[in-house]
Amino acid sequence: MRNKLLRSSISLSLMVLMASAATTISFNDVRAAKSEKEVVDLVAADIPSFTGAYLSGQIADSDSDIENAIDFYNRALEFDPENREAKRRLFTTLIISGDFETASGLAETLKDDAEVAMLAERALAVRSIQKREYRRADKFLDLEETNPVDKLINQLLSAWAKFGDNKVKEAIAQVKGLEGPTWYSAFQDFNLGMMAAASGDYEAAKTYFGSLIANQDAIQIAPDTYLQGVMALATLHNQDGKKDEALAVLTDTIRAAFAPADALKKKIEQDIETPYSVANAQSGASFALYTIGAALNREGNEDIVALYLQFARALDVKNAAALVMLAELKEQLGQSDKAIAIYRTVPDNSPMKRLSELQLGLNLADVGQVEEALAHISELIKAYPNDIRAYLGYGNILSREKNYQAVVDNYENAIKAVGPIHDRTHWNLFYQLGIGYERLKVWDKAEKAFLRSLELSPNQPSVMNYLGYSWVDMNIKLEEGIDMIKAAVDLRPNDGYIVDSLGWAYYRQGKYEEATRELERAVELRPADPTINDHLGDAFWQVGRKIEAKFQWERALLSMADFDESQVPILKRKLKEGLTDKTAANDG
């Protein structure tokens, strides 16, 4: 996919260049290239102007192809060394890439540039704190900034610079006196707790972290800050020899599964030392930036979040929370190779380590190293035989490889490992076991596993959908199956797959008008899914909308190769003959 994106981007650049006769490269040259590197080298070697290099950099940038964007912007600056826009883009791209040293050098030339002055000065402040030039850091921070996020960042960085300059009381007073929106309080308590702990005042630190945990709004506004506060308080209790209090904090405040907290809990239970990680101004400022970046982490904010996380990483290369989130951003961009490299840097003694190792294994599978991925996660299972996440990750890879017997064996082993007493958290093990047995066509065991999953967690839409759809598809327990699917739709009305199940259930009952209504909605929710388009085509045919039926089958055929190639001959027969008894018998 990345090769296709890059070639598409380079081709767009070439279209502009070729239109102006600015390059001698042909599109056939691009198509003939066997790798991303060959495409990049081909273009870079022949771009004869600032415009060509800059345009290529912009397009690579928009595709999140950071390394090539940097190459192109540098090439553009070779043609026009003082071009401000190219410098700005190179500067931000360098930070996002993690090359903070080069970026901070460029920041010196951009600190008076109105377009990027705030970012450039913040980079210089971070570099000053990094180098323990604390008084210099304050010179680059506008403490009167009116934007609430920028004001918070600048004030916290300034306070940590004072802390590093041994002005601890002044730093604490600055954080306490910070005025702004009510959501500031979570970040104030967290940073005050870190400062107190780093200065050795553990009782005050516990008070601040306790205040953060008591702030129920913090769970919604800044969940990562809240969780870090919980883990910090538990760690400090454990350091004081108050093991029971430490475990109580983790148990009472973190209701849902959270791998780092679970790992910390197990360390405390096993009497393994859990030192508090924030010890100086660098690590404190790093966590300040990480928590703000985490609070902003939502779709569309990837670049700005990456900037904060890379600043955090520059200040403390052992900030495991920032490293894991940065790797997750790379995963979201489809850059599994870069995610792997970051996961490998997570410190061994961090509560985030087990989570990072699991994600590393999953990303190995994403880049095609399936055997290495399975071996890696297998070692995690051996080391932590009761950690169901490792079994789920292992099973996920086996499912993608369609090795369903191994899937079943994996989940049977997982269920044995957790013991005879099951709770709500184990529902997914039985659900995945059921899928494995269903794919092996051992329905009695599949059904038993699905029902057990629903006993443990009665309102899981995915399980209800899978079981209900299976009953309907096998033409058994039709009414019960439809009721179950309807309940799943009520719980998750915008899930195209579940809506498709309801439509197909109506179809199986011969209720074609109702089927058409639901399947049209399913296609709106999942327009590219071939199975849903195929189902809608069948429904259209049954209600006499035969031209629309063929259109839907054609759409399904266009994308079926990426899903289930066995359906391709059936779709081709439908397009040729329509919905006959023979094609209907093979459908579903």
Side-chain angles (χ1 to χ4, degrees):
M1 179 61 71
R2 296 294 301 162
N3 288 353
K4 291 178 183 177
L5 285 172
L6 180 61
R7 293 182 191 202
S8 171
S9 298
I10 300 301
S11 294
L12 286 170
S13 294
L14 289 172
M15 286 175 66
V16 176
L17 297 175
M18 292 167 71
S20 61
T23 183
T24 60
I25 303 171
S26 70
F27 286 112
N28 286 334
D29 294 330
V30 175
R31 293 191 191 100
K34 296 177 181 177
S35 68
E36 279 191 16
K37 187 175 187 305
E38 284 191 24
V39 178
V40 175
D41 290 345
L42 180 72
V43 177
D46 198 65
I47 294 176
S49 69
F50 168 84
T51 302
Y54 180 68
L55 176 62
S56 294
Q58 281 185 297
I59 296 175
D61 215 342
S62 68
D63 275 345
S64 298
D65 182 13
I66 301 300
E67 285 74 16
N68 286 315
I70 290 170
D71 287 343
F72 286 127
Y73 290 141
N74 274 320
R75 183 66 187 272
L77 287 168
E78 289 178 10
F79 290 105
D80 186 357
E82 298 306 316
N83 187 276
R84 304 295 285 182
E85 186 57 32
K87 280 188 177 183
R88 292 173 194 140
R89 286 186 173 269
L90 176 60
F91 169 61
T92 56
T93 308
L94 282 166
I95 297 176
I96 291 171
S97 76
D99 188 354
F100 180 71
E101 193 61 33
T102 305
S104 57
L106 193 57
E108 289 283 4
T109 69
L110 293 171
K111 64 180 185 293
D112 298 320
D113 186 324
E115 291 288 323
V116 291
M118 171 69 76
L119 185 61
E121 291 184 334
R122 190 166 292 157
L124 292 170
V126 167
R127 184 175 68 172
S128 297
I129 295 172
Q130 182 190 52
K131 293 185 174 183
R132 294 176 170 77
E133 297 172 352
Y134 301 117
R135 294 179 187 180
R136 187 168 187 266
D138 252 347
K139 296 178 181 178
F140 301 112
L141 297 168
D142 179 6
L143 302 184
E144 301 303 318
E145 172 62 46
T146 56
N147 178 293
V149 174
D150 287 327
K151 178 181 179 180
L152 179 64
I153 293 170
N154 288 359
Q155 288 279 1
L156 291 178
L157 287 178
S158 171
W160 279 108
K162 290 180 176 65
F163 185 93
D165 197 26
N166 294 317
K167 299 175 182 176
V168 177
K169 290 183 179 180
E170 191 176 337
I172 290 173
Q174 181 164 315
V175 177
K176 281 184 175 180
L178 182 55
E179 296 181 357
T182 55
W183 52 264
Y184 270 20
S185 61
F187 299 98
Q188 286 174 289
D189 282 335
F190 183 63
N191 281 271
L192 288 168
M194 288 194 293
M195 286 180 176
S199 62
D201 189 351
Y202 298 120
E203 291 306 314
K206 290 178 189 177
T207 300
Y208 290 126
F209 289 134
S211 176
L212 167 61
I213 294 168
N215 180 357
Q216 291 301 301
D217 290 339
I219 302 173
Q220 302 298 324
I221 296 168
D224 292 88
T225 308
Y226 178 86
L227 291 168
Q228 290 297 326
V230 171
M231 292 171 66
L233 182 56
T235 297
L236 292 176
H237 278 315
N238 193 49
Q239 283 185 181
D240 279 353
K242 299 176 181 178
K243 180 177 177 178
D244 290 342
E245 289 186 42
L247 292 173
V249 167
L250 294 169
T251 303
D252 294 345
T253 55
I254 300 181
R255 306 294 183 186
F258 180 58
D262 185 50
L264 177 60
K265 185 177 179 181
K266 284 182 168 56
K267 280 188 173 184
I268 293 172
E269 288 172 338
Q270 296 166 13
D271 295 320
I272 298 172
E273 188 179 358
T274 58
Y276 185 59
S277 59
V278 177
N280 53 42
Q282 287 73 32
S283 54
S286 176
F287 264 95
L289 288 161
Y290 153 70
T291 52
I292 293 170
L296 296 172
N297 190 15
R298 57 184 64 91
E299 188 174 354
N301 278 2
E302 291 85 359
D303 282 354
I304 190 67
V305 173
L307 287 169
Y308 293 141
L309 294 179
Q310 292 290 13
F311 281 149
R313 187 186 189 186
L315 285 165
D316 182 3
V317 294
K318 294 182 179 180
N319 185 335
L323 292 171
V324 169
M325 185 167 286
L326 195 56
E328 289 171 350
L329 285 179
K330 298 299 182 184
E331 287 179 31
Q332 293 167 21
L333 294 171
Q335 298 172 355
S336 292
D337 54 336
K338 295 180 178 64
I340 289 168
I342 296 172
Y343 282 130
R344 290 192 192 279
T345 67
V346 174
D348 290 339
N349 64 349
S350 167
M352 308 290 288
K353 185 62 176 179
R354 196 190 310 177
L355 172 64
S356 68
E357 286 295 310
L358 177 57
Q359 291 303 121
L360 192 158
L362 295 174
N363 279 274
L364 285 171
D366 288 341
V367 297
Q369 298 178 37
V370 175
E371 292 304 317
E372 294 90 333
L374 291 172
H376 184 84
I377 299 179
S378 179
E379 289 300 314
L380 290 179
I381 291 173
K382 289 177 185 176
Y384 308 102
N386 296 321
D387 187 351
I388 64 174
R389 299 177 193 86
Y391 290 101
L392 290 168
Y394 195 77
N396 177 269
I397 297 171
L398 293 171
S399 293
R400 283 191 279 175
E401 295 299 302
K402 300 184 178 180
N403 188 349
Y404 298 118
Q405 184 57 57
V407 168
V408 165
D409 293 342
N410 172 63
Y411 289 114
E412 291 283 16
N413 289 335
I415 291 166
K416 288 177 185 176
V418 299
I421 300 174
H422 305 133
D423 59 37
R424 193 177 189 277
T425 64
H426 298 135
W427 72 269
N428 205 8
L429 296 177
F430 286 93
Y431 173 47
Q432 299 299 334
L433 177 64
I435 293 174
Y437 275 127
E438 186 271 333
R439 296 297 169 87
L440 290 174
K441 303 189 185 303
V442 185
W443 177 245
D444 58 333
K445 291 186 176 181
E447 184 179 47
K448 182 180 178 181
F450 290 137
L451 290 171
R452 178 58 176 152
S453 179
L454 288 174
E455 284 178 13
L456 295 170
S457 186
N459 293 312
Q460 287 294 336
S462 52
V463 187
M464 297 163 70
N465 174 57
Y466 206 110
L467 178 56
Y469 182 90
S470 297
W471 280 338
V472 169
D473 203 45
M474 291 186 290
N475 210 29
I476 60 173
K477 301 184 181 180
L478 284 178
E479 292 301 327
E480 193 175 346
I482 288 178
D483 287 345
M484 189 170 283
I485 297 169
K486 284 180 178 178
V489 171
D490 288 341
L491 290 166
R492 201 174 286 169
N494 294 320
D495 188 318
Y497 297 120
I498 297 179
V499 175
D500 169 67
S501 294
L502 181 58
W504 195 242
Y506 283 133
Y507 185 94
R508 286 294 201 192
Q509 284 190 312
K511 298 178 180 178
Y512 299 124
E513 293 291 347
E514 292 94 329
T516 300
R517 181 188 67 240
E518 297 299 333
L519 291 169
E520 283 186 301
R521 191 160 74 88
V523 164
E524 288 178 4
L525 293 167
R526 287 280 176 180
D529 186 86
T531 301
I532 299 175
N533 279 285
D534 183 22
H535 286 170
L536 180 57
D538 288 8
F540 277 155
W541 186 272
Q542 297 288 8
V543 297
R545 295 163 65 176
K546 295 186 176 181
I547 293 175
E548 291 169 275
K550 290 191 174 183
F551 174 76
Q552 294 303 139
W553 291 331
E554 188 70 54
R555 286 183 69 183
L557 186 62
L558 287 172
S559 52
M560 187 60 79
D562 292 331
F563 288 81
D564 185 356
E565 293 188 21
S566 67
Q567 294 297 308
V568 171
I570 298 170
L571 280 166
K572 288 182 176 179
R573 195 180 303 133
K574 286 181 186 179
L575 285 166
K576 184 178 180 181
E577 303 172 9
L579 197 60
T580 65
D581 291 341
K582 190 172 183 180
T583 52
N586 289 292
D587 201 6

